[in-house]
Amino acid sequence: MMLKYIGVMFVALLLNACSNSDWQTASREPAGIAPDPETDQEAVIEVYAADAFSWRGWFAVHTWIATKEQHAEKYKVYEVVGWRLKSGLPALHEYQTKTPDRYWYGAKPEKLLSIQGEKAQRLIPQITQAVAHYPWADQYTVFPGPNSNTFPAWVGLKVPELGLKMPFNAIGSGYAD
């Protein structure tokens, strides 16, 4: 009887964990962990990771890079998103925002890397150059890559002074090697 109860509870937990399957209503609110560009005038480089959407988050994360030049009012965010390909757009996406630390469709991001000040100002042009030469900008494959984790890993290889360490569950980051 106890085993049956445990089985029912497991299925209930599994269904509950998968219930956040509506990406349209999942949170994209800022997490409040990025320096505010209106008050922080220093250059900033940050790399974020958040659980992948839906059940994929049990196994993998989505990662992205944000840079802010000294005195800039917004961050540039660089990320690879596979579903852009279905619309004929490149997987590599660049946009500007005051909130680079938004939830990834319901998952709170964490900082993998944060560099501020003179070092960030010096490394931002190198990141921009690496992004411009990313070889898989129009490709996306969940496994083994290239995917959203391949991109920051590749930038980290091209700009070793970042000291970027990708987490174990950044599936596809090894493709950059």
Side-chain angles (χ1 to χ4, degrees):
M1 185 64 150
M2 183 65 154
L3 192 56
K4 183 178 180 182
Y5 175 76
I6 291 171
V8 169
M9 291 303 293
F10 178 75
V11 170
L13 285 171
L14 184 64
L15 291 172
N16 185 46
C18 291
S19 66
N20 187 17
S21 60
D22 183 8
W23 61 269
Q24 294 172 319
T25 59
S27 177
R28 295 286 285 146
E29 293 297 314
I33 59 175
D36 183 346
E38 291 182 6
T39 58
D40 191 332
Q41 296 300 304
E42 286 189 306
V44 178
I45 299 168
E46 297 201 329
V47 179
Y48 298 98
D51 288 346
F53 182 68
S54 188
W55 61 269
R56 293 168 199 85
W58 296 349
F59 307 103
V61 292
H62 170 80
T63 54
W64 64 96
I65 300 171
T67 64
K68 183 186 80 66
E69 297 274 356
Q70 185 175 355
H71 303 295
E73 294 179 5
K74 292 184 177 182
Y75 287 83
K76 281 187 184 177
V77 174
Y78 306 98
E79 66 184 337
V80 167
V81 183
W83 62 74
R84 290 175 49 84
L85 294 172
K86 293 177 184 174
S87 301
L89 300 169
L92 179 57
H93 181 47
E94 174 185 331
Y95 61 95
Q96 293 193 358
T97 182
K98 291 184 178 191
T99 56
D101 59 344
R102 296 186 322 165
Y103 276 61
W104 179 251
Y105 297 97
K108 185 177 181 179
E110 66 177 70
K111 288 184 192 183
L112 299 180
L113 173 77
S114 183
I115 300 172
Q116 297 183 19
E118 291 179 24
K119 182 177 180 181
Q121 189 65 27
R122 184 170 41 79
L123 294 177
I124 288 172
Q126 294 177 46
I127 292 170
T128 303
Q129 184 73 10
V131 170
H133 291 95
Y134 180 63
W136 304 289
D138 294 316
Q139 298 176 42
Y140 187 94
T141 304
V142 172
F143 184 80
N147 61 32
S148 65
N149 297 314
T150 307
F151 169 67
W154 191 85
V155 171
L157 290 172
K158 296 299 175 187
V159 187
E161 196 174 345
L162 286 172
L164 178 60
K165 304 282 189 239
M166 297 295 285
F168 176 77
N169 58 347
I171 296 172
S173 60
Y175 192 89
D177 294 336

Coordinates of all heavy atoms in Angstrom, one line a residue, residues 92-128:
L92 N 21.4 33.1 -33.1 CA 22.2 34.1 -32.3 C 21.4 35.4 -32.3 O 21.1 36.0 -33.4 CB 23.6 34.3 -32.9 CG 24.4 35.4 -32.1 CD1 24.5 35.0 -30.6 CD2 25.8 35.5 -32.8
H93 N 21.0 35.8 -31.2 CA 20.1 37.0 -31.0 C 20.9 38.0 -30.1 O 21.4 37.7 -29.1 CB 18.8 36.6 -30.3 CG 17.8 37.6 -30.1 ND1 17.5 38.5 -31.1 CD2 17.0 37.9 -29.1 CE1 16.5 39.4 -30.6 NE2 16.3 39.0 -29.4
E94 N 20.8 39.3 -30.6 CA 21.4 40.4 -29.8 C 20.3 41.4 -29.6 O 19.6 41.8 -30.5 CB 22.6 41.0 -30.6 CG 23.2 42.2 -29.9 CD 24.2 42.9 -30.8 OE1 24.9 42.1 -31.6 OE2 24.4 44.1 -30.7
Y95 N 20.2 41.9 -28.4 CA 19.2 43.0 -28.1 C 19.7 43.8 -26.9 O 20.6 43.5 -26.2 CB 17.8 42.4 -27.8 CG 17.7 41.5 -26.6 CD1 17.3 42.0 -25.4 CD2 18.0 40.2 -26.7 CE1 17.2 41.2 -24.3 CE2 17.9 39.3 -25.6 CZ 17.5 39.9 -24.4 OH 17.4 39.0 -23.3
Q96 N 19.1 45.0 -26.8 CA 19.5 45.9 -25.7 C 18.3 46.0 -24.7 O 17.1 46.0 -25.0 CB 19.8 47.3 -26.2 CG 21.0 47.3 -27.0 CD 21.5 48.7 -27.3 OE1 20.9 49.7 -26.9 NE2 22.6 48.8 -28.0
T97 N 18.7 46.0 -23.4 CA 17.7 46.1 -22.3 C 18.4 46.7 -21.1 O 19.6 46.6 -20.9 CB 17.2 44.7 -22.0 OG1 16.2 44.8 -21.0 CG2 18.3 43.7 -21.6
K98 N 17.5 47.2 -20.2 CA 18.0 47.6 -18.9 C 18.0 46.4 -17.9 O 18.6 46.6 -16.8 CB 17.1 48.7 -18.3 CG 17.3 50.0 -19.1 CD 16.5 51.1 -18.5 CE 16.7 52.4 -19.3 NZ 16.2 53.6 -18.6
T99 N 17.4 45.3 -18.3 CA 17.3 44.2 -17.4 C 17.7 42.9 -18.0 O 17.0 42.1 -18.5 CB 15.8 44.0 -16.9 OG1 15.0 43.9 -18.1 CG2 15.3 45.2 -16.1
P100 N 19.1 42.7 -18.0 CA 19.6 41.5 -18.6 C 19.4 40.2 -17.8 O 19.7 39.1 -18.3 CB 21.1 41.8 -18.8 CG 21.3 42.6 -17.5 CD 20.1 43.5 -17.4
D101 N 18.9 40.4 -16.6 CA 18.8 39.2 -15.7 C 17.3 38.7 -15.6 O 16.9 38.3 -14.5 CB 19.3 39.7 -14.3 CG 18.5 40.9 -13.8 OD1 17.8 41.6 -14.5 OD2 18.6 41.2 -12.6
R102 N 16.6 38.8 -16.7 CA 15.2 38.4 -16.6 C 15.1 36.9 -16.4 O 16.0 36.1 -16.9 CB 14.5 38.7 -17.9 CG 14.4 40.2 -18.1 CD 13.6 40.7 -19.3 NE 13.8 39.8 -20.5 CZ 13.0 39.8 -21.5 NH1 12.0 40.6 -21.6 NH2 13.2 39.0 -22.5
Y103 N 14.0 36.4 -15.8 CA 13.8 35.0 -15.7 C 13.7 34.4 -17.1 O 13.3 35.0 -18.0 CB 12.4 34.8 -15.0 CG 12.4 34.9 -13.5 CD1 12.8 36.0 -12.8 CD2 12.0 33.8 -12.8 CE1 12.8 36.0 -11.4 CE2 12.0 33.8 -11.4 CZ 12.4 34.9 -10.7 OH 12.4 35.0 -9.4
W104 N 14.2 33.2 -17.2 CA 14.2 32.4 -18.4 C 12.9 31.6 -18.4 O 12.9 30.5 -17.9 CB 15.4 31.6 -18.6 CG 15.3 30.8 -19.9 CD1 15.2 29.5 -20.1 CD2 15.4 31.4 -21.2 NE1 15.1 29.1 -21.4 CE2 15.3 30.3 -22.1 CE3 15.6 32.6 -21.8 CZ2 15.3 30.4 -23.5 CZ3 15.6 32.8 -23.1 CH2 15.5 31.7 -24.0
Y105 N 11.8 32.2 -18.9 CA 10.5 31.5 -18.9 C 10.2 30.8 -17.7 O 10.0 29.6 -17.7 CB 10.4 30.7 -20.2 CG 10.5 31.5 -21.4 CD1 11.8 31.7 -22.1 CD2 9.5 32.2 -21.9 CE1 11.9 32.5 -23.2 CE2 9.6 33.1 -23.0 CZ 10.8 33.2 -23.6 OH 10.9 34.0 -24.7
G106 N 10.2 31.5 -16.6 CA 9.8 31.0 -15.3 C 10.9 30.6 -14.4 O 10.7 30.3 -13.2
A107 N 12.1 30.5 -14.9 CA 13.3 30.0 -14.1 C 14.2 31.2 -13.8 O 14.6 32.0 -14.6 CB 14.1 29.0 -14.9
K108 N 14.5 31.4 -12.5 CA 15.3 32.5 -12.0 C 16.8 32.2 -12.4 O 17.3 31.1 -12.2 CB 15.2 32.6 -10.5 CG 16.0 33.8 -10.0 CD 15.9 33.9 -8.5 CE 16.6 35.2 -8.0 NZ 16.5 35.4 -6.6
P109 N 17.4 33.2 -13.0 CA 18.8 33.1 -13.4 C 19.7 33.2 -12.2 O 19.4 33.8 -11.2 CB 19.0 34.2 -14.4 CG 18.1 35.3 -13.9 CD 16.9 34.5 -13.4
E110 N 20.9 32.6 -12.4 CA 22.0 32.8 -11.5 C 23.2 33.4 -12.3 O 23.3 33.1 -13.5 CB 22.4 31.6 -10.7 CG 22.9 30.5 -11.6 CD 23.3 29.2 -10.8 OE1 22.4 28.6 -10.3 OE2 24.5 29.0 -10.7
K111 N 24.1 34.1 -11.6 CA 25.3 34.6 -12.3 C 26.3 33.5 -12.3 O 26.7 33.0 -11.3 CB 25.8 35.8 -11.5 CG 25.0 37.1 -11.7 CD 25.7 38.2 -11.0 CE 24.8 39.4 -10.8 NZ 25.4 40.6 -10.2
L112 N 26.9 33.3 -13.5 CA 28.0 32.4 -13.6 C 29.3 33.3 -13.6 O 30.4 32.7 -13.2 CB 28.0 31.7 -15.0 CG 26.8 30.8 -15.2 CD1 26.9 30.1 -16.6 CD2 26.7 29.7 -14.1
L113 N 29.2 34.5 -13.9 CA 30.4 35.4 -14.1 C 29.9 36.8 -13.9 O 28.9 37.2 -14.5 CB 31.0 35.2 -15.4 CG 32.2 36.1 -15.8 CD1 33.4 35.7 -15.0 CD2 32.4 36.1 -17.3
S114 N 30.7 37.6 -13.2 CA 30.4 39.1 -13.1 C 31.8 39.8 -13.1 O 32.6 39.6 -12.2 CB 29.6 39.4 -11.9 OG 29.3 40.8 -11.9
I115 N 32.0 40.7 -14.0 CA 33.2 41.5 -14.1 C 32.8 42.9 -14.3 O 32.0 43.2 -15.1 CB 34.1 41.1 -15.3 CG1 34.6 39.6 -15.1 CG2 35.4 42.0 -15.3 CD1 35.3 39.0 -16.3
Q116 N 33.4 43.8 -13.5 CA 33.0 45.2 -13.5 C 34.2 46.1 -13.6 O 35.3 45.6 -13.2 CB 32.1 45.6 -12.3 CG 30.8 44.9 -12.3 CD 29.9 45.3 -11.2 OE1 30.1 46.4 -10.6 NE2 28.9 44.5 -10.8
G117 N 34.1 47.3 -14.1 CA 35.1 48.3 -14.0 C 36.0 48.2 -15.3 O 35.6 47.9 -16.4
E118 N 37.3 48.6 -15.0 CA 38.3 48.7 -16.1 C 38.5 47.4 -16.9 O 38.6 47.4 -18.1 CB 39.6 49.2 -15.6 CG 39.6 50.6 -15.1 CD 41.0 51.0 -14.5 OE1 42.0 50.4 -14.9 OE2 41.0 52.0 -13.7
K119 N 38.5 46.3 -16.1 CA 38.7 45.0 -16.8 C 37.5 44.7 -17.7 O 37.7 44.2 -18.9 CB 38.8 43.8 -15.8 CG 39.1 42.5 -16.4 CD 39.3 41.4 -15.4 CE 39.5 40.1 -16.0 NZ 39.7 39.0 -15.0
A120 N 36.3 45.0 -17.3 CA 35.1 44.8 -18.2 C 35.2 45.7 -19.4 O 35.0 45.2 -20.5 CB 33.9 45.0 -17.4
Q121 N 35.6 46.9 -19.2 CA 35.7 47.9 -20.3 C 36.7 47.4 -21.3 O 36.5 47.5 -22.5 CB 36.0 49.3 -19.8 CG 35.9 50.3 -20.9 CD 34.5 50.6 -21.4 OE1 33.5 50.3 -20.7 NE2 34.4 51.0 -22.6
R122 N 37.8 46.8 -20.8 CA 38.8 46.3 -21.7 C 38.4 45.0 -22.5 O 38.8 44.8 -23.6 CB 40.1 46.0 -20.9 CG 41.3 45.6 -21.7 CD 42.6 45.6 -20.8 NE 42.4 45.1 -19.5 CZ 42.4 43.8 -19.2 NH1 42.5 42.9 -20.1 NH2 42.3 43.4 -17.9
L123 N 37.6 44.2 -21.8 CA 37.2 42.9 -22.4 C 36.0 43.0 -23.3 O 35.8 42.1 -24.2 CB 37.0 41.8 -21.3 CG 38.2 41.4 -20.5 CD1 37.8 40.4 -19.5 CD2 39.3 40.8 -21.5
I124 N 35.1 44.0 -23.2 CA 33.9 44.1 -24.0 C 34.2 44.1 -25.5 O 33.5 43.4 -26.2 CB 33.0 45.2 -23.5 CG1 32.4 44.9 -22.2 CG2 32.0 45.6 -24.5 CD1 31.7 46.1 -21.5
P125 N 35.2 44.8 -26.0 CA 35.4 44.8 -27.4 C 35.9 43.4 -27.9 O 35.5 43.0 -29.0 CB 36.6 45.8 -27.6 CG 36.5 46.7 -26.5 CD 36.0 45.9 -25.3
Q126 N 36.6 42.6 -27.0 CA 36.9 41.3 -27.4 C 35.7 40.4 -27.5 O 35.6 39.5 -28.3 CB 37.9 40.7 -26.4 CG 39.3 41.4 -26.4 CD 40.2 40.9 -25.3 OE1 40.4 39.7 -25.2 NE2 40.9 41.8 -24.6
I127 N 34.8 40.6 -26.6 CA 33.5 39.8 -26.6 C 32.8 40.1 -27.9 O 32.3 39.2 -28.6 CB 32.7 40.1 -25.3 CG1 33.4 39.5 -24.1 CG2 31.3 39.5 -25.5 CD1 32.7 39.9 -22.8
T128 N 32.6 41.4 -28.2 CA 31.9 41.9 -29.4 C 32.6 41.2 -30.6 O 31.8 40.8 -31.5 CB 32.0 43.4 -29.5 OG1 31.4 43.9 -28.3 CG2 31.2 43.9 -30.7

